[in-house]
Amino acid sequence: MLITRLVLAADRFRQWAIAQFVLLLLSVLKLLPPDAAINFMDRVARWIGPKTRRHRLTLTNLRNAFPEKGEAEIKEIALESWGNMGRLAAEYVFLDRLFDFDPERAEPGRVEVSGIPLFMELRDNPRPFIVFTAHSGNFEMLPVAGSAFGLEVTVLFRPPNNPYLADKVFEFRKARMGNLVPSHAGSSFALARQLERGGGVGVLVDQKFRKGLKTKFFGRDVQTNPLLAKLVRQFNCEVYPARCIRLPGGRFRLELEPAVEIPRRADGSVDVTATAQMLNDKVESWVREYPGQWLWYHDRWHIKRNL
């Protein structure tokens, strides 16, 4: 019993120490100009990433997804992906300053937005809807954009595993992204209540889900969360794809695409499995277009145990 308490205490201290280091690093980054901080973290992540155990998983994922690509290109995409992760961490500090979109400005700023009429139509004609995205580019900017357009969206997010970081992250996100629902056993009910009230919800759909539906992603077996499809089945709401694309010069393009057509069975009911596959297909098309902007270190195919 004593040994167990000591082990737990040691783990809590380790997580606290990691959280303090991360928070200190973010505080230091705040002292730098945004571009300098972001470029610095890009270089740091490209240096540290290949030295981690996750790099082996990253390379394996890329080789499996792109068997037609040579080893040099695979390694270059892996480095770009690590750089994207570093930039994302730094951009987190400067989200308020980075999102500078102004439709009245003649010259484009750091952020450009595609699909403005859709934003406006959803805002001006309230109804239940779902927006889905993936871990690509700076996906954190999408709810910031929704809030800037006056569009109320309840966002489902996964808190960090570190409990000391989780509280800080939640406070930061809530101040900039509107309504937030941490992913846990009861999160689906919170999203359902929002749709029932006629509001919108936002979800990431490219995460591993151990008890999910059997689907394909890059031609390989994965398990996909059926939550979005089940919510559509319950509320018959529209579903919109959205993504963030990194552009040269530290710029971004946020895209809200037209509503997708939901697969249905012969009796008109939502085909839950086919809908989950449709989401995978859409995300795969995004990743193929900009492979270095996706987070390849995720164990989407549940293969880490075999490495």
Side-chain angles (χ1 to χ4, degrees):
M1 196 70 175
L2 176 60
I3 294 177
T4 300
R5 288 200 297 268
L6 289 174
V7 170
L8 292 175
D11 184 64
R12 286 195 298 270
F13 176 78
R14 180 184 62 83
Q15 295 197 67
W16 176 85
I18 291 173
Q20 298 312 304
F21 173 76
V22 171
L23 294 173
L24 176 62
L25 176 60
L26 294 179
S27 297
V28 171
L29 290 176
K30 286 182 182 179
L31 302 176
L32 301 174
D35 285 319
I38 293 166
N39 291 333
F40 170 75
M41 287 301 295
D42 182 303
R43 292 191 295 271
V44 169
R46 287 172 184 257
W47 180 72
I48 293 178
K51 295 174 172 58
T52 66
R53 287 182 295 179
R54 285 280 178 170
H55 189 61
R56 186 177 177 186
L57 175 63
T58 295
L59 293 175
T60 300
N61 284 339
L62 281 165
R63 292 176 187 127
N64 289 339
F66 300 109
E68 74 281 4
K69 295 186 183 296
E71 192 64 13
E73 187 175 3
I74 291 293
K75 291 180 178 178
E76 180 58 35
I77 294 173
L79 282 178
E80 185 181 347
S81 180
W82 284 116
N84 176 67
M85 184 62 191
R87 299 180 80 83
L88 181 62
E91 288 160 357
Y92 208 76
V93 176
F94 301 104
L95 274 181
D96 290 340
R97 295 160 65 180
L98 293 180
F99 188 81
D100 63 351
F101 177 74
D102 182 356
E104 303 300 325
R105 185 169 52 195
E107 295 296 323
R110 187 185 291 268
V111 177
E112 61 184 60
V113 179
S114 173
I116 296 174
L118 292 175
F119 275 105
M120 300 303 188
E121 204 276 330
L122 287 171
R123 183 195 65 187
D124 297 338
N125 297 284
R127 58 189 183 274
F129 65 89
I130 300 174
V131 176
F132 73 88
T133 190
H135 291 87
S136 187
N138 188 333
F139 51 91
E140 300 279 6
M141 275 196 176
L142 293 168
V144 176
S147 180
F149 278 100
L151 190 61
E152 181 184 353
V153 180
T154 295
V155 178
L156 179 68
F157 80 101
R158 183 181 183 278
N161 292 330
N162 187 309
Y164 301 99
L165 284 175
D167 291 341
K168 293 292 184 181
V169 168
F170 182 78
E171 292 172 8
F172 181 89
R173 282 173 160 163
K174 190 170 182 61
R176 294 156 178 82
M177 303 178 186
N179 299 326
L180 294 174
V181 175
S183 58
H184 52 65
S187 57
S188 60
F189 296 105
L191 298 182
R193 285 194 296 271
Q194 173 69 0
L195 293 171
E196 193 172 26
R197 289 193 294 264
V201 303
V203 295
L204 284 155
V205 298
D206 59 341
Q207 296 167 308
K208 182 175 64 175
F209 193 71
R210 293 182 183 277
K211 298 181 180 180
L213 301 171
K214 293 183 178 180
T215 51
K216 296 285 186 180
F217 188 53
F218 280 87
R220 301 176 70 86
D221 293 336
V222 293
Q223 291 173 284
T224 300
N225 193 329
L227 175 61
L228 184 148
K230 289 182 176 181
L231 290 173
V232 173
R233 184 176 61 185
Q234 182 177 355
F235 295 98
N236 194 33
C237 51
E238 297 169 324
V239 177
Y240 294 84
R243 64 170 170 168
C244 173
I245 301 170
R246 292 192 183 279
L247 302 176
R251 299 183 64 249
F252 308 87
R253 181 166 67 248
L254 307 182
E255 295 183 348
L256 179 63
E257 301 180 13
V260 296
E261 184 174 349
I262 300 299
R264 296 184 180 271
R265 300 184 184 277
D267 62 0
S269 63
V270 173
D271 188 327
V272 174
T273 301
T275 299
Q277 184 60 59
M278 180 268 293
L279 299 177
N280 287 353
D281 292 342
K282 169 56 75 172
V283 172
E284 180 178 331
S285 71
W286 290 340
V287 177
R288 286 187 178 276
E289 190 174 1
Y290 299 100
Q293 298 190 22
W294 196 59
L295 303 184
W296 288 95
Y297 71 86
H298 282 167
D299 192 12
R300 185 68 175 91
W301 290 273
H302 196 46
I303 63 174
K304 190 168 64 172
R305 60 185 178 182
N306 298 321
L307 292 178

